[in-house]
Amino acid sequence: MEWLIFIIFILTLIYFLIRQLVMIYNNIVMLKNNCDKAFANIDVLLKKQVDLIPRLTAIAQKAIAHEKVLFENLAKSREHYLHTNQLNQKVSLANQLFPQIKNSLLIAEKYPELISEKSLHLLQIQVKELEECIADRREFFNQSVTLYNTEIHIFPNVLFKLIFNFKDIPLFYPSKETT
């Protein structure tokens, strides 16, 4: 009779241990999926912003031909972003793209004949609105990433990180303001 109680106790203990491990794994996967979903929401806006670049470039190049290199780099960055599928690379490229866009707008402001064009003014408004939306979604993404990265670094979850090869996800930094 004592053996039966001991076996039931051990089986119960094993059951709760396995249940806890499954819950930890599921929580990590849920947090990772939340990060992917949060970035997918940002990605929609980033693609929209990237689509504004050719229009912005075409208008600005009319008046400032000597800034051609900046706009060529902007176009190359756009192409890299559109052809990248990995989350880490997209975040990195987006972090590089925003300062370039701001530089092009600052250059455009130096040329009054360029600013007087209504189409550039409308594009500037669209870029500003998109940046505000991206900032809001970036905050949610960074919160999701921080929760995920923290979760995979605490014990015993770090064991799952090692076993299942969970990787850290980089934060999406705001663009540096150029003055």
Side-chain angles (χ1 to χ4, degrees):
M1 189 66 159
E2 290 177 8
W3 277 102
L4 184 61
I5 292 173
F6 180 73
I7 291 174
I8 290 173
F9 176 75
I10 294 297
L11 290 175
T12 304
L13 192 62
I14 290 172
Y15 167 77
F16 282 110
L17 179 65
I18 290 173
R19 184 173 176 220
Q20 185 65 28
L21 293 175
V22 168
M23 287 173 50
I24 290 171
Y25 176 81
N26 288 342
N27 190 48
I28 293 172
V29 170
M30 180 193 68
L31 290 172
K32 183 170 183 343
N33 289 341
N34 282 343
C35 293
D36 292 341
K37 178 181 142 194
F39 189 78
N41 290 336
I42 294 172
D43 195 39
V44 170
L45 292 175
L46 291 174
K47 285 180 181 172
K48 188 173 182 181
Q49 188 176 45
V50 164
D51 287 341
L52 290 176
I53 292 171
R55 293 174 31 207
L56 181 65
T57 303
I59 293 169
Q61 281 181 335
K62 290 178 187 173
I64 47 177
H66 64 281
E67 298 291 350
K68 187 176 182 180
V69 172
L70 172 72
F71 293 107
E72 287 174 352
N73 289 341
L74 200 55
K76 286 178 188 174
S77 294
R78 173 185 183 267
E79 287 302 313
H80 287 292
Y81 184 84
L82 289 175
H83 291 72
T84 300
N85 293 325
Q86 292 185 347
L87 180 93
N88 292 353
Q89 290 176 340
K90 279 191 173 260
V91 170
S92 176
L93 288 170
N95 284 334
Q96 295 169 15
L97 190 62
F98 295 138
Q100 291 178 353
I101 292 173
K102 286 194 178 230
N103 283 342
S104 67
L105 292 176
L106 286 173
I107 289 168
E109 288 175 4
K110 293 179 185 177
Y111 297 91
E113 67 277 3
L114 187 60
I115 288 192
S116 66
E117 289 195 35
K118 290 181 182 179
S119 54
L120 179 63
H121 183 68
L122 291 173
L123 282 172
Q124 287 176 314
I125 291 170
Q126 288 177 344
V127 168
K128 184 178 178 190
E129 287 173 356
L130 281 171
E131 283 181 358
E132 290 171 0
C133 289
I134 291 168
D136 290 341
R137 291 188 183 172
R138 182 177 49 236
E139 183 179 341
F140 178 72
F141 172 77
N142 284 344
Q143 181 182 15
S144 298
V145 166
T146 301
L147 288 172
Y148 167 77
N149 287 344
T150 302
E151 189 74 15
I152 64 173
H153 286 282
I154 59 176
F155 187 81
N157 303 8
V158 72
L159 299 174
F160 284 93
K161 176 186 178 189
L162 297 172
I163 293 169
F164 295 106
N165 201 23
F166 288 115
K167 304 277 188 210
D168 285 351
I169 297 175
L171 293 174
F172 190 179
Y173 293 105
S175 60
K176 301 263 191 283
E177 293 293 324
T178 52
T179 55

